[in-house]
Amino acid sequence: MRYLLLSRSLSSASSSPASLLPRPAAASSFSSMADGGAGPRARARLRGVVFDMDGTLTVPAIDFAAMYRAVLGDDEYRRIRAENPAGIDILHHIEGWSPERQRTAYEVIADHERQGLDRLQIMPGAAELCSFLDSKKLRRGLITRNVKSAVDLFHQRFGVIFSPALSREFRPYKPDPAPLLHICSSWEVQPSEVMMVGDSLKDDVTCGKRAGAFTCLLDQTGRYDAPEFDSVDLKPDFKVSCLTEVFPLLEANFDLAP
């Protein structure tokens, strides 16, 4: 499995240090678990990048733990959190509830999302990364479990457009691969020519892996370095701590072709 960690000691976009997980190596070259020491692997063609929105293209502004507690209650939240260390799929969880209980839950979720919109900020490095993709004539898309109005506000406020941009009105939503496969189809490219970038192992990496795309996990705090994530079934191909680390990652590992 291709599972690379881009070193957090990256000092400039022109250097491309990385190390092989789980044990850091010298920050001077990329390596792959699939190489087996037989020499450099072939550079895959990359024709587009699909991004998550909340916590990836935008600075985290939604208190998801508070949202989940408000929907589930403290005891149920703690129980489900303990059973799902990678994260709670609240939308999937409430699908089995009664219509009235679902309606109440969606109102709570919508209220937390509206509060997040008031604090909406673009993630550092996001605009520059989009300019880099434009310079390479690579497509860029967006998949979020947030609502369409949040996507529209993001486009309007920051002037960076993603197409297609799929919100949770598109069913089924992440971690199902359907939205990513839909984007690949609209672009007329293969999933193996696309990378999914997001901050959720449960939603973004799983969606990308199930679709057959490359995956890059944005882990700003090192949360996913914890031992509890060592045994997860689906691991990302790459892991970065900020979006500016994606530049050298793409150039070092892919044939960037429109």
Side-chain angles (χ1 to χ4, degrees):
M1 176 181 294
R2 304 175 304 270
Y3 189 15
L4 305 176
L5 173 63
L6 190 61
S7 168
R8 291 190 176 86
S9 64
L10 184 64
S11 60
S12 70
S14 61
S15 60
S16 53
S19 56
L20 181 62
L21 285 182
R23 185 174 58 195
S28 60
S29 63
F30 284 97
S31 58
S32 169
M33 297 178 81
D35 292 342
R41 60 191 174 93
R43 289 156 62 95
R45 185 183 188 189
L46 193 71
R47 303 178 67 187
V49 181
V50 179
F51 295 87
D52 166 58
M53 187 174 77
D54 298 301
T56 301
L57 292 173
T58 64
V59 175
I62 299 175
D63 188 340
F64 286 102
M67 176 198 293
Y68 298 156
R69 286 191 178 94
V71 172
L72 300 169
D74 287 340
D75 292 342
E76 185 72 355
Y77 167 76
R78 284 193 292 268
R79 182 187 68 79
I80 297 175
R81 183 70 182 87
E83 295 174 354
N84 301 273
I88 297 173
D89 189 339
I90 192 67
L91 297 179
H92 178 75
H93 185 80
I94 66 179
E95 283 181 350
W97 291 3
S98 67
E100 181 177 352
R101 194 179 178 196
Q102 279 190 45
R103 196 159 42 246
T104 301
Y106 280 122
E107 289 173 358
V108 172
I109 292 170
D111 181 58
H112 280 264
E113 289 173 338
R114 280 192 294 270
Q115 294 176 41
L117 290 180
D118 293 338
R119 301 185 294 271
L120 193 66
Q121 299 178 58
I122 194 167
M123 183 69 78
E128 293 82 359
L129 180 53
C130 289
S131 296
F132 171 79
L133 296 177
D134 288 346
S135 73
K136 301 294 183 180
K137 296 182 170 52
L138 297 181
R139 303 160 180 83
R140 61 173 187 261
L142 184 153
I143 302 173
T144 179
R145 287 158 57 99
N146 209 323
V147 292
K148 183 178 182 299
S149 59
V151 177
D152 292 342
L153 179 61
F154 174 83
H155 283 159
Q156 293 164 10
R157 181 170 296 181
F158 304 114
V160 183
I161 306 300
F162 295 80
S163 180
L166 304 181
S167 56
R168 74 162 170 259
E169 287 81 2
F170 181 96
R171 297 292 185 96
Y173 35 68
K174 297 181 298 183
D176 194 283
L180 185 51
L181 293 173
H182 174 83
I183 289 178
C184 291
S185 177
S186 70
W187 285 348
E188 297 183 338
V189 303
Q190 297 299 314
S192 60
E193 298 174 315
V194 170
M195 175 178 283
M196 178 75 206
V197 179
D199 69 320
S200 171
L201 191 65
K202 170 182 64 68
D203 295 329
D204 305 315
V205 172
T206 300
C207 173
K209 284 292 186 181
R210 288 177 177 174
F214 288 94
T215 57
C216 179
L217 178 65
L218 174 62
D219 184 12
Q220 292 183 289
T221 63
R223 169 194 175 194
Y224 291 105
D225 292 335
E228 63 193 276
F229 298 107
D230 289 344
S231 59
V232 296
D233 293 332
L234 298 175
K235 290 182 170 65
D237 298 301
F238 303 93
K239 182 170 176 287
V240 299
S241 62
C242 61
L243 290 181
T244 56
E245 294 180 349
V246 178
F247 293 73
L249 183 158
L250 296 179
E251 291 193 304
N253 289 273
F254 296 97
D255 174 16
L256 303 179

